[in-house]
PDB file of all heavy atoms in Angstrom:
ATOM      1  N   ALA A 133       9.969   6.229  -4.989  1.00 98.00           N
ATOM      2  CA  ALA A 133       8.799   5.553  -4.407  1.00 98.00           C
ATOM      3  C   ALA A 133       8.527   4.249  -5.159  1.00 98.00           C
ATOM      4  O   ALA A 133       8.243   3.212  -4.542  1.00 98.00           O
ATOM      5  CB  ALA A 133       7.574   6.467  -4.474  1.00 98.00           C
ATOM      6  N   TRP A 134       8.624   4.288  -6.486  1.00 98.00           N
ATOM      7  CA  TRP A 134       8.425   3.072  -7.293  1.00 98.00           C
ATOM      8  C   TRP A 134       9.410   1.972  -6.873  1.00 98.00           C
ATOM      9  O   TRP A 134       9.018   0.820  -6.682  1.00 98.00           O
ATOM     10  CB  TRP A 134       8.597   3.377  -8.786  1.00 98.00           C
ATOM     11  CG  TRP A 134       8.771   2.131  -9.593  1.00 98.00           C
ATOM     12  CD1 TRP A 134       9.947   1.526  -9.943  1.00 98.00           C
ATOM     13  CD2 TRP A 134       7.713   1.277 -10.077  1.00 98.00           C
ATOM     14  NE1 TRP A 134       9.689   0.362 -10.620  1.00 98.00           N
ATOM     15  CE2 TRP A 134       8.337   0.176 -10.722  1.00 98.00           C
ATOM     16  CE3 TRP A 134       6.317   1.352 -10.025  1.00 98.00           C
ATOM     17  CZ2 TRP A 134       7.601  -0.849 -11.308  1.00 98.00           C
ATOM     18  CZ3 TRP A 134       5.582   0.322 -10.631  1.00 98.00           C
ATOM     19  CH2 TRP A 134       6.230  -0.752 -11.253  1.00 98.00           C
ATOM     20  N   ARG A 135      10.706   2.355  -6.714  1.00 98.00           N
ATOM     21  CA  ARG A 135      11.720   1.362  -6.348  1.00 98.00           C
ATOM     22  C   ARG A 135      11.417   0.749  -4.973  1.00 98.00           C
ATOM     23  O   ARG A 135      11.444  -0.474  -4.801  1.00 98.00           O
ATOM     24  CB  ARG A 135      13.131   1.995  -6.338  1.00 98.00           C
ATOM     25  CG  ARG A 135      13.733   2.173  -7.719  1.00 98.00           C
ATOM     26  CD  ARG A 135      15.241   2.420  -7.619  1.00 98.00           C
ATOM     27  NE  ARG A 135      15.569   3.554  -6.764  1.00 98.00           N
ATOM     28  CZ  ARG A 135      15.725   4.810  -7.201  1.00 98.00           C
ATOM     29  NH1 ARG A 135      15.598   5.097  -8.481  1.00 98.00           N
ATOM     30  NH2 ARG A 135      16.016   5.773  -6.352  1.00 98.00           N
ATOM     31  N   ASP A 136      11.117   1.610  -4.012  1.00 98.00           N
ATOM     32  CA  ASP A 136      10.808   1.106  -2.668  1.00 98.00           C
ATOM     33  C   ASP A 136       9.592   0.175  -2.705  1.00 98.00           C
ATOM     34  O   ASP A 136       9.593  -0.910  -2.107  1.00 98.00           O
ATOM     35  CB  ASP A 136      10.473   2.267  -1.709  1.00 98.00           C
ATOM     36  CG  ASP A 136      11.714   3.026  -1.245  1.00 98.00           C
ATOM     37  OD1 ASP A 136      12.837   2.620  -1.603  1.00 98.00           O
ATOM     38  OD2 ASP A 136      11.546   4.040  -0.532  1.00 98.00           O
ATOM     39  N   ILE A 137       8.545   0.625  -3.389  1.00 98.00           N
ATOM     40  CA  ILE A 137       7.287  -0.123  -3.386  1.00 98.00           C
ATOM     41  C   ILE A 137       7.440  -1.451  -4.126  1.00 98.00           C
ATOM     42  O   ILE A 137       6.959  -2.481  -3.641  1.00 98.00           O
ATOM     43  CB  ILE A 137       6.163   0.766  -3.961  1.00 98.00           C
ATOM     44  CG1 ILE A 137       5.811   1.857  -2.937  1.00 98.00           C
ATOM     45  CG2 ILE A 137       4.941  -0.057  -4.338  1.00 98.00           C
ATOM     46  CD1 ILE A 137       4.976   2.999  -3.484  1.00 98.00           C
ATOM     47  N   SER A 138       8.124  -1.448  -5.269  1.00 98.00           N
ATOM     48  CA  SER A 138       8.242  -2.713  -5.981  1.00 98.00           C
ATOM     49  C   SER A 138       9.131  -3.697  -5.215  1.00 98.00           C
ATOM     50  O   SER A 138       8.827  -4.885  -5.141  1.00 98.00           O
ATOM     51  CB  SER A 138       8.676  -2.529  -7.444  1.00 98.00           C
ATOM     52  OG  SER A 138       9.741  -1.666  -7.532  1.00 98.00           O
ATOM     53  N   GLU A 139      10.181  -3.196  -4.571  1.00 98.00           N
ATOM     54  CA  GLU A 139      11.033  -4.081  -3.771  1.00 98.00           C
ATOM     55  C   GLU A 139      10.259  -4.621  -2.558  1.00 98.00           C
ATOM     56  O   GLU A 139      10.331  -5.813  -2.236  1.00 98.00           O
ATOM     57  CB  GLU A 139      12.276  -3.290  -3.294  1.00 98.00           C
ATOM     58  CG  GLU A 139      13.344  -4.188  -2.696  1.00 98.00           C
ATOM     59  CD  GLU A 139      14.609  -3.370  -2.340  1.00 98.00           C
ATOM     60  OE1 GLU A 139      14.886  -2.334  -2.989  1.00 98.00           O
ATOM     61  OE2 GLU A 139      15.300  -3.785  -1.388  1.00 98.00           O
ATOM     62  N   GLY A 140       9.496  -3.741  -1.923  1.00 98.00           N
ATOM     63  CA  GLY A 140       8.689  -4.171  -0.773  1.00 98.00           C
ATOM     64  C   GLY A 140       7.655  -5.209  -1.151  1.00 98.00           C
ATOM     65  O   GLY A 140       7.454  -6.206  -0.447  1.00 98.00           O
ATOM     66  N   CYS A 141       6.977  -4.996  -2.287  1.00 98.00           N
ATOM     67  CA  CYS A 141       5.943  -5.945  -2.718  1.00 98.00           C
ATOM     68  C   CYS A 141       6.560  -7.297  -3.083  1.00 98.00           C
ATOM     69  O   CYS A 141       5.979  -8.343  -2.778  1.00 98.00           O
ATOM     70  CB  CYS A 141       5.151  -5.378  -3.902  1.00 98.00           C
ATOM     71  SG  CYS A 141       4.003  -4.069  -3.405  1.00 98.00           S
ATOM     72  N   ARG A 142       7.755  -7.279  -3.695  1.00 98.00           N
ATOM     73  CA  ARG A 142       8.429  -8.552  -3.994  1.00 98.00           C
ATOM     74  C   ARG A 142       8.730  -9.317  -2.708  1.00 98.00           C
ATOM     75  O   ARG A 142       8.494 -10.516  -2.606  1.00 98.00           O
ATOM     76  CB  ARG A 142       9.754  -8.310  -4.750  1.00 98.00           C
ATOM     77  CG  ARG A 142       9.629  -8.510  -6.255  1.00 98.00           C
ATOM     78  CD  ARG A 142      10.995  -8.600  -6.941  1.00 98.00           C
ATOM     79  NE  ARG A 142      11.846  -7.446  -6.633  1.00 98.00           N
ATOM     80  CZ  ARG A 142      11.744  -6.264  -7.264  1.00 98.00           C
ATOM     81  NH1 ARG A 142      10.860  -6.090  -8.217  1.00 98.00           N
ATOM     82  NH2 ARG A 142      12.541  -5.267  -6.943  1.00 98.00           N
ATOM     83  N   GLY A 143       9.234  -8.592  -1.706  1.00 98.00           N
ATOM     84  CA  GLY A 143       9.558  -9.218  -0.421  1.00 98.00           C
ATOM     85  C   GLY A 143       8.306  -9.740   0.283  1.00 98.00           C
ATOM     86  O   GLY A 143       8.313 -10.832   0.844  1.00 98.00           O
ATOM     87  N   LEU A 144       7.245  -8.965   0.207  1.00 98.00           N
ATOM     88  CA  LEU A 144       5.974  -9.379   0.821  1.00 98.00           C
ATOM     89  C   LEU A 144       5.433 -10.639   0.149  1.00 98.00           C
ATOM     90  O   LEU A 144       5.038 -11.600   0.832  1.00 98.00           O
ATOM     91  CB  LEU A 144       4.968  -8.217   0.716  1.00 98.00           C
ATOM     92  CG  LEU A 144       3.535  -8.497   1.146  1.00 98.00           C
ATOM     93  CD1 LEU A 144       3.462  -8.918   2.603  1.00 98.00           C
ATOM     94  CD2 LEU A 144       2.662  -7.240   0.907  1.00 98.00           C
ATOM     95  N   LEU A 145       5.456 -10.658  -1.193  1.00 98.00           N
ATOM     96  CA  LEU A 145       4.935 -11.829  -1.913  1.00 98.00           C
ATOM     97  C   LEU A 145       5.780 -13.065  -1.599  1.00 98.00           C
ATOM     98  O   LEU A 145       5.237 -14.155  -1.368  1.00 98.00           O
ATOM     99  CB  LEU A 145       4.916 -11.548  -3.417  1.00 98.00           C
ATOM    100  CG  LEU A 145       4.260 -12.616  -4.288  1.00 98.00           C
ATOM    101  CD1 LEU A 145       2.819 -12.889  -3.870  1.00 98.00           C
ATOM    102  CD2 LEU A 145       4.305 -12.212  -5.773  1.00 98.00           C
ATOM    103  N   GLU A 146       7.112 -12.887  -1.546  1.00 98.00           N
ATOM    104  CA  GLU A 146       7.983 -14.024  -1.192  1.00 98.00           C
ATOM    105  C   GLU A 146       7.654 -14.528   0.202  1.00 98.00           C
ATOM    106  O   GLU A 146       7.582 -15.733   0.444  1.00 98.00           O
ATOM    107  CB  GLU A 146       9.449 -13.594  -1.221  1.00 98.00           C
ATOM    108  CG  GLU A 146      10.090 -13.741  -2.587  1.00 98.00           C
ATOM    109  CD  GLU A 146      11.446 -13.064  -2.654  1.00 98.00           C
ATOM    110  OE1 GLU A 146      12.122 -12.940  -1.611  1.00 98.00           O
ATOM    111  OE2 GLU A 146      11.806 -12.633  -3.762  1.00 98.00           O
ATOM    112  N   SER A 147       7.456 -13.597   1.123  1.00 97.00           N
ATOM    113  CA  SER A 147       7.188 -13.978   2.503  1.00 97.00           C
ATOM    114  C   SER A 147       5.884 -14.767   2.620  1.00 97.00           C
ATOM    115  O   SER A 147       5.802 -15.745   3.367  1.00 97.00           O
ATOM    116  CB  SER A 147       7.158 -12.712   3.362  1.00 97.00           C
ATOM    117  OG  SER A 147       6.304 -12.852   4.454  1.00 97.00           O
ATOM    118  N   ILE A 148       4.870 -14.367   1.842  1.00 96.00           N
ATOM    119  CA  ILE A 148       3.581 -15.054   1.914  1.00 96.00           C
ATOM    120  C   ILE A 148       3.639 -16.412   1.238  1.00 96.00           C
ATOM    121  O   ILE A 148       3.106 -17.397   1.746  1.00 96.00           O
ATOM    122  CB  ILE A 148       2.478 -14.201   1.241  1.00 96.00           C
ATOM    123  CG1 ILE A 148       2.293 -12.895   2.001  1.00 96.00           C
ATOM    124  CG2 ILE A 148       1.161 -14.975   1.193  1.00 96.00           C
ATOM    125  CD1 ILE A 148       1.431 -11.904   1.248  1.00 96.00           C
ATOM    126  N   THR A 149       4.281 -16.468   0.065  1.00 93.00           N
ATOM    127  CA  THR A 149       4.223 -17.704  -0.720  1.00 93.00           C
ATOM    128  C   THR A 149       5.173 -18.777  -0.203  1.00 93.00           C
ATOM    129  O   THR A 149       5.016 -19.941  -0.522  1.00 93.00           O
ATOM    130  CB  THR A 149       4.502 -17.427  -2.228  1.00 93.00           C
ATOM    131  OG1 THR A 149       5.698 -16.668  -2.342  1.00 93.00           O
ATOM    132  CG2 THR A 149       3.352 -16.659  -2.858  1.00 93.00           C
ATOM    133  N   LYS A 150       6.170 -18.384   0.608  1.00 87.00           N
ATOM    134  CA  LYS A 150       7.078 -19.438   1.121  1.00 87.00           C
ATOM    135  C   LYS A 150       6.475 -20.158   2.335  1.00 87.00           C
ATOM    136  O   LYS A 150       6.962 -21.201   2.735  1.00 87.00           O
ATOM    137  CB  LYS A 150       8.456 -18.874   1.437  1.00 87.00           C
ATOM    138  CG  LYS A 150       8.573 -18.095   2.710  1.00 87.00           C
ATOM    139  CD  LYS A 150      10.023 -17.833   3.054  1.00 87.00           C
ATOM    140  CE  LYS A 150      10.105 -17.155   4.411  1.00 87.00           C
ATOM    141  NZ  LYS A 150      10.785 -15.897   4.437  1.00 87.00           N
ATOM    142  N   ASN A 151       5.405 -19.559   2.906  1.00 66.00           N
ATOM    143  CA  ASN A 151       4.780 -20.198   4.094  1.00 66.00           C
ATOM    144  C   ASN A 151       3.803 -21.300   3.693  1.00 66.00           C
ATOM    145  O   ASN A 151       3.225 -21.277   2.664  1.00 66.00           O
ATOM    146  CB  ASN A 151       4.047 -19.146   4.926  1.00 66.00           C
ATOM    147  CG  ASN A 151       5.026 -18.224   5.623  1.00 66.00           C
ATOM    148  OD1 ASN A 151       6.108 -18.650   5.992  1.00 66.00           O
ATOM    149  ND2 ASN A 151       4.670 -16.964   5.745  1.00 66.00           N
TER     150      ASN A 151
END
Side-chain angles (χ1 to χ4, degrees):
W134 164 269
R135 282 196 304 269
D136 284 356
I137 288 166
S138 46
E139 192 176 331
C141 286
R142 261 194 305 279
L144 173 60
L145 186 57
E146 272 169 28
S147 150
I148 296 168
T149 51
K150 78 169 185 237
N151 289 327

